[in-house]
Structures are given as C-alpha cells and as structure tokens.
Amino acid sequence: MLNLLIKVIKKENFLGLWRGVSPSFLRCIPGVGLYFSTLYSLKHHIFSERDPTPLESVLLGAGSRTVAGVCMLPFTVVKTRYESGKYGYKSVYSALKNIYKTEGPRGLFTGLTATLMRDAPFSGIYLMFYTQSKKIVPYDQVDPALTPLRNFSCGIAAGILASVATQPADVIKTHMQLSHESHRWTGQVALSIFQNHGLPGFFRGGFPRALRRTLMAAMAWTVYENMMERMGLKS
C-alpha cells in the first residue's frame, strides 16, 4: 500500500490521490441518503413494534443497499474508471455520455451482479454486527457525551468484519468494470482471477478498501444516529 501511494505521488503529484473525487461525491452523497431513507422506511414499516433479529438485520441492510446500489451504479462505473487512469474522461457527464454511446445502457450497469454481491452483503453484515455490538454497551450505561464515540467504535468493528467478508466480491466487481470487453459475466471474472493470482488474488487491495469503507460507514452511522436523536426519531 505504501509503495503504491509513493508511486502515485511521484507520477501524478498529490492530486493523483484525489482522482475520481467528482463521481465519488455524486455516488456517495445521494447513495447514503437513499440507503438511510430506505432503511428507515423499511424498519419502521416492518419492525415498528420490535427490534429486528440478527438475520432480519442482515436482510434489512442488504435490501436497503440494493436499492441504493442499483440507482447509483452508473456513477460507480465512472468512479472506477476514473481511478484506473485508463480512460481519458474529462468530466462525469462526458464519461456517462461516452459509456452510453459506445456500450449502450448496459455499459452503465457493468458489474451490477458483482456490485450487489459486494454491497448488499456488506451492508447486511455491517448492520447486524453494528446493532449487536451496540447491545454490548447499553445506551443507558454510557455518558451521553460519549455516545458518538460508542457508535463510532461499534461502526469500526462492524466495518472491519464486513469488509473482510466481502473483499472477494469487490475484487471481481473492479475487474469487471475495468475489463468489460473481455469479461462478460461474474463467474468468468472469478475464474480468471483465480487462474492468474490464486486465492490471494481475491484479497488484493483489502487493507485500503477496509480502511476506506470502515471509516466511511462508521462516520455515516455516527452522524445518522446523532441526527436522529436530535430530531427525536428512533433510528
């Protein structure tokens, strides 16, 4: 990871570390809103009188992420290609237009199966571990001033476990979105990775991904919980 970081800085300066920030904003900000609004709606329509079980939490998180993932996938494709440096896109709009023109609507949803295989289980597993870890330290036993720290710590633990479990699907998704010409379906990509890199190939880039997703998820949930508490709503 450190060698790659130095390589990027030498080749593209520090700005290279922020390549793809525009599609990231367009994907993450609306995506987070879609996820939490869907989660809130589902939870309070289905589980209005009780807390969901661990298995129900998995299904709840996975279902909410599926809705957000499908809606935001075109921006995920653009973000992946921006960060690869293989495509000379000048803007998000030009990237979307180019993909639609050269590959059709299907190109905007390249890697849909692999993306959902990664994101839906991640969110489901994350929500399960997050809610269960919060029960270890009950709310009424924590100083209210330390509640955000409690939520953030639970989010970190849940994020690490969920990231490890879904790393292979993330590798497959990235390969599909970067090599769409040669890989047409998920199984073909998985076989290619295994033949070229073996089992370790499915965990390449695991540390930076776990670091990024864990921190993002922990921060998002901490802010969400705090906002819901301030508005007097049950999260």
Side-chain angles (χ1 to χ4, degrees), residues 63-88:
S64 302
R65 180 57 63 190
T66 296
V67 173
V70 171
C71 293
M72 305 312 299
L73 187 62
F75 296 104
T76 302
V77 174
V78 172
K79 170 186 170 293
T80 302
R81 296 187 181 184
Y82 253 98
E83 293 174 346
S84 72
K86 294 182 179 180
Y87 301 83

Side-chain angles (χ1 to χ4, degrees), residues 151-164:
N151 294 338
F152 188 77
S153 300
C154 292
I156 290 292
I160 292 173
L161 294 170
S163 293
V164 172

